[in-house]
Amino acid sequence: MGANMGKNSSLLDALPSTQSTLHVVMLGLDSAGKTTALYRLKFDQYLNTVPTIGFNCEKVKGQVGKAKGVNFLVWDVGGQEKLRPLWKSYTRCTDGIVFVLDSVDIERIEEAKMELMRTVKSPDNAGVPILVLANKQDLPGAKEPRDLEKLLGLHELGGSTQHTWHVQPACAITGDGLHEGMEVLYEMILKRRKLAKMVKKKAR
Ligand code: G3D
Ligand code: MG
């Protein structure tokens, strides 16, 4: 537990990390880099991937900041079109969603947006924090997070749907930005839990 007990964190902050494993699902169009990101997070090395049929699932340990030592169970669901209806069964009851985006593939950004919004707006996922990995930042022509945010229409998710979200620039091949993104996701998950607790208390 020691690793999580910074000067400013209370015992409450530390509890969820020691209690349980957080469930996270990775979504995104095919070839966005989900499987590469998952294995980079897991083994800290680049593994050659093949298009995912079905799913991959790995336990990943947080490495930076508050998320250090936190266990995530990460599901990587195949992104091919015929598999997308399956996303729904994986995203139910998840603590967080990681949406992996190819920052160069602007041709398919509208399609990515549609898939993201469909998942996020499903009642099962109300309020689930979303980490958008703006992947492939190493490639020339990669769009900046600020532009991707606009193109994905993320501001639509503020108010009524109560989602928190963050766009993290990343390169799954080198691992740049991945653990930083997981830390932000972890903080969003904690915040949501605290809020839920407060609402419960008030209702008593
Ligand atoms: P998916 O699981 O989302 O379908 P993969 O995607 O992880 O299988 O990756 C698809 C292709 O994108 C792979 O290339 C992979 O190496 C590449 N890729 C993933 N992340 C990055 C990145 O950050 N930068 C660059 N330049 N490429 C990346 P191949 O050639 O094997 O299809
Ligand atoms: Mg894959």
Side-chain angles (χ1 to χ4, degrees):
M1 182 193 282
N4 292 318
M5 298 290 287
K7 211 165 56 191
N8 299 318
S9 56
S10 68
L11 185 60
L12 259 185
D13 284 331
L15 276 178
S17 63
T18 52
Q19 264 176 354
S20 62
T21 298
L22 298 174
H23 288 242
V24 171
V25 66
M26 250 178 191
L27 301 174
L29 303 183
D30 52 287
S31 90
K34 300 177 293 298
T35 308
T36 308
L38 177 65
Y39 288 118
R40 177 44 90 175
L41 277 167
K42 170 78 184 174
F43 301 112
D44 198 22
Q45 61 179 325
Y46 170 70
L47 288 186
N48 213 350
T49 60
V50 292
T52 307
I53 299 167
F55 57 83
N56 304 302
C57 180
E58 297 292 345
K59 207 166 218 174
V60 165
K61 237 187 200 354
Q63 281 178 10
V64 298
K66 276 194 186 168
K68 202 165 179 170
V70 174
N71 286 312
F72 299 94
L73 190 67
V74 183
W75 295 82
D76 159 29
V77 186
Q80 291 164 43
E81 208 167 347
K82 57 176 188 238
L83 293 172
R84 287 181 213 158
L86 278 179
W87 289 4
K88 216 173 158 195
S89 32
Y90 291 95
T91 55
R92 212 167 278 154
C93 301
T94 186
D95 295 302
I97 293 174
V98 176
F99 192 84
V100 184
L101 193 67
D102 181 334
S103 308
V104 181
D105 190 1
I106 295 312
E107 252 169 50
R108 289 205 297 166
I109 191 116
E110 196 55 36
E111 191 182 348
K113 175 181 177 176
M114 260 169 46
E115 297 298 343
L116 174 63
M117 290 303 166
R118 189 183 314 172
T119 307
V120 161
K121 290 186 174 166
S122 136
D124 286 333
N125 297 325
V128 174
I130 303 151
L131 172 70
V132 176
L133 280 184
N135 196 30
K136 307 198 185 182
Q137 287 291 321
D138 57 307
L139 294 179
K143 288 265 180 216
E144 282 179 33
R146 237 184 317 153
D147 298 331
L148 294 168
E149 215 163 315
K150 273 189 208 132
L151 289 165
L152 287 175
L154 287 171
H155 52 272
E156 293 169 26
L157 297 179
S160 59
T161 60
Q162 311 257 304
H163 288 278
T164 50
W165 46 267
H166 173 73
V167 183
Q168 173 71 45
C171 172
I173 288 197
T174 61
D176 282 346
L178 297 184
H179 278 288
E180 289 76 4
M182 293 307 280
E183 188 194 6
V184 179
L185 183 65
Y186 176 63
E187 285 183 354
M188 291 190 292
I189 293 170
L190 281 191
K191 208 163 139 194
R192 180 175 179 229
R193 289 193 170 173
K194 269 189 202 157
L195 217 69
K197 255 186 218 158
M198 268 162 55
V199 171
K200 233 184 192 169
K201 253 191 203 158
K202 267 192 193 155
R204 265 195 218 137

